[in-house]
Amino acid sequence: MIDRHGYRGYIGSRAYFGQRAPQHVQNLVIRDYCQRNGFTYLLSATEYAMEDCFMILEDVINEALKLEGVVFYTLNMLPRDKARRYEICSAFLDAGCTIHGAVENACAKSLEEYENLENLWSVRRLSEQADTIIQQLAATPEFLS
Amino acid sequence: MGKITSFLQPEDQAANAAMLQRGHVIQAVENRDGLDAIRDLAAHAAARHLGVSPPNDPERFLNGIGEHVDATTLNDLRISVINALRSEDWFRPTYFSLAREALFKIVGNEIAMQRGVGLSVQLPNDDSSLLPVHADTWDGDSPYEVVVWVPLVDCFRTKAMYLLTPDKQTAHLKTMASNNSAETFFKSIEDDVEYISIDYGNVLIFRLDLPHGNRVNTETEARWSMNCRFKSVLTPFADKQLGEFFEPIIIRPATKVGMTYELPGGFGGAGQ
């Protein structure tokens, strides 16, 4: 029997989909999410600022067997690459560690439930592309006349 | 004073050499009574949180805090103590006074200070609240900042923090991306880090662009330390911005005049 305790917060200093929040605000959101769900909140791990770097998240994966769950400030912090995203999430779930997004108020306890998070991601990505298309249209008046 | 050949005084040159070559400075606090007041308040707040009598020997009580809390209750205690400290209006000015003159030499004399001073408590053999290897510049701080790190107990060996020495920084950062995790990166620099021994009564000022962190405290006593970032007001900010993270605490009169100055206007009108 593995002795698991608590939910590890995960915050960062990069902008995610163009949005950033101060770290103390990220922690407040995670703490509130944990309180509302009756989770024991463990001090957040703070990802390095370098783009596409997930070295701190890898450390959290390495302690996943001791955790009940990991709470991302937002699921948008997951890698943009789908395969890498799946690799990270399945590593947590295989270790019996649930995955949570505090901003999205969403969680996955199994690979089946992870599909729901992946759908959220896909829609988010799609909306980003739609924004780009709208901006291109707006910059091309002949399409709007 | 007569003729001199350098703009820098010897103490300025010493500060330059220490920060650029060693990456840190350790000196006696500049306000010992202030430090004692901070430590005593921390110990009394901890005792109040635990429901025990105020300690006669604060340092011994703080060192032995592991007799009262474990890893699961430590964070509540830490938050209770830091809230007690932050609620005192003398706390931040007093914290600044511990290293005021040193900061003037290292960052300048117009200063922004982190709004919320941090507190770390590390129980013996507790691996649940470790800070992995990091440079604060990787966490949203700008490289123009320094950390003023104040121990509330004597810190040594694994009870202390470690810092990568500046002469080894460039080589290790070149290969950093080849590591899978922060832990594997630490293993790659482990032989080149220095554990900073520092006794109570002293202050450590270090460069936050240098990788640092802590390991499991294998000593028999708990570590208590505070940390706060300072920078020159007019140097660039990174993700941790003025207002939300930093507050200007000293702005000199010439800067105040300059910030509000406007050239006379009204030229180019009909009468010209």
Side-chain angles (χ1 to χ4, degrees):
Chain A
M1 182 71 179
I2 298 168
D3 185 20
R4 295 178 186 275
H5 176 73
Y7 291 73
R8 177 70 71 200
Y10 179 70
I11 63 173
S13 55
R14 301 200 287 259
Y16 302 99
F17 286 98
Q19 297 180 342
R20 68 168 289 278
Q23 290 179 17
H24 68 278
V25 173
Q26 295 181 50
N27 277 326
L28 281 173
V29 173
I30 293 174
R31 192 184 300 274
D32 173 66
Y33 178 85
C34 287
Q35 277 179 352
R36 282 190 285 112
N37 288 281
F39 297 164
T40 300
Y41 164 63
L42 302 177
L43 279 180
S44 293
T46 308
E47 189 54 81
Y48 296 155
M50 293 78 85
E51 282 300 323
D52 297 322
C53 176
F54 294 95
M55 291 172 69
I56 293 292
L57 189 56
E58 290 288 348
D59 272 1
V60 181
I61 290 173
N62 290 335
E63 68 163 348
L65 285 172
K66 294 194 289 186
L67 299 174
E68 293 172 89
V70 56
V71 184
F72 291 77
Y73 162 66
T74 168
L75 296 169
N76 293 340
M77 301 170 76
L78 284 162
R80 295 176 79 88
D81 177 72
K82 185 174 182 175
R84 180 89 174 102
R85 202 160 60 240
Y86 179 81
E87 184 181 57
I88 283 174
C89 291
S90 59
F92 278 118
L93 294 170
D94 289 347
C97 176
T98 56
I99 299 169
H100 303 257
V103 166
E104 294 83 0
N105 195 29
C107 79
K109 296 173 184 156
S110 64
L111 282 174
E112 289 73 32
E113 291 181 358
Y114 167 71
E115 283 305 310
N116 295 330
L117 303 190
E118 190 58 34
N119 288 339
L120 269 178
W121 237 96
S122 301
V123 172
R124 184 72 188 84
R125 192 69 194 268
L126 187 64
S127 69
E128 183 184 53
Q129 290 166 343
D131 287 345
T132 305
I133 293 168
I134 289 167
Q135 284 168 10
Q136 287 172 344
L137 285 172
T140 318
E142 58 268 31
F143 288 137
L144 301 177
S145 58
Chain B
M1 183 179 285
K3 292 178 180 175
I4 54 173
T5 56
S6 173
F7 292 104
L8 296 176
Q9 297 290 313
E11 58 269 28
D12 299 317
Q13 292 167 339
N16 264 349
M19 293 302 284
L20 298 178
Q21 291 163 26
R22 295 192 64 201
H24 71 275
V25 168
I26 293 176
Q27 65 166 43
V29 294
E30 296 168 20
N31 177 3
R32 177 59 191 250
D33 290 344
L35 176 63
D36 290 344
I38 290 172
R39 183 197 56 185
D40 292 351
L41 175 57
H44 280 72
R48 190 165 57 247
H49 175 82
L50 296 168
V52 301
S53 303
N56 294 322
D57 183 344
E59 186 165 3
R60 186 173 175 188
F61 175 72
L62 295 176
N63 270 321
I65 204 70
E67 297 166 16
H68 301 279
V69 291
D70 60 21
T72 63
T73 53
L74 175 63
N75 197 43
D76 287 343
L77 169 74
R78 189 187 65 82
I79 290 171
S80 177
V81 172
I82 195 62
N83 284 343
L85 290 167
R86 289 176 179 176
S87 69
E88 297 291 342
D89 58 6
W90 54 265
F91 173 58
R92 291 178 72 245
T94 303
Y95 193 97
F96 171 60
S97 74
L98 303 178
R100 177 188 168 98
E101 295 301 322
L103 285 168
F104 286 169
K105 294 185 187 74
I106 292 169
V107 304
N109 67 4
E110 295 187 291
I111 290 185
M113 177 181 183
Q114 182 178 330
R115 294 167 65 99
V117 175
L119 173 69
S120 295
V121 186
Q122 213 182 342
L123 298 176
N125 302 309
D126 174 22
D127 66 356
S128 66
S129 56
L130 298 179
L131 267 180
V133 59
H134 67 286
D136 292 15
T137 45
W138 308 340
D139 290 346
D141 288 273
S142 91
Y144 296 88
E145 305 166 20
V146 297
V147 180
V148 173
W149 196 93
V150 178
L152 298 181
V153 292
D154 293 348
C155 293
F156 49 88
R157 295 190 291 268
T158 55
K159 192 183 170 191
M161 58 163 275
Y162 65 79
L163 188 67
L164 181 66
T165 53
D167 58 322
K168 305 288 195 255
Q169 181 189 25
T170 303
H172 283 301
L173 295 192
K174 270 185 185 167
T175 58
M176 179 183 176
S178 65
N179 291 278
N180 179 49
S181 67
E183 181 63 16
T184 55
F185 177 58
F186 171 76
K187 292 295 183 192
S188 75
I189 69 170
E190 188 169 13
D191 291 342
D192 292 325
V193 303
E194 177 184 1
Y195 284 84
I196 311 286
S197 289
I198 176 171
D199 287 342
Y200 175 74
N202 292 284
V203 59
L204 163 69
I205 305 173
F206 68 91
R207 282 170 43 181
L208 49 62
D209 64 305
L210 296 171
H212 58 278
N214 55 36
R215 304 298 287 175
V216 173
N217 171 10
T218 58
E219 308 306 319
T220 57
E221 303 166 335
R223 178 184 117 189
W224 288 73
S225 64
M226 296 182 298
N227 61 84
C228 186
R229 283 139 199 85
F230 292 86
K231 68 188 291 297
S232 173
V233 169
L234 299 176
T235 53
F237 289 82
D239 188 55
K240 294 181 180 172
Q241 295 285 321
L242 197 61
E244 65 185 42
F245 191 82
F246 281 104
E247 175 190 23
I249 57 169
I250 296 181
I251 298 177
R252 301 295 181 185
T255 301
K256 288 181 179 176
V257 170
M259 286 192 300
T260 55
Y261 180 77
E262 290 180 17
L263 284 168
F267 299 98
Q272 294 291 309

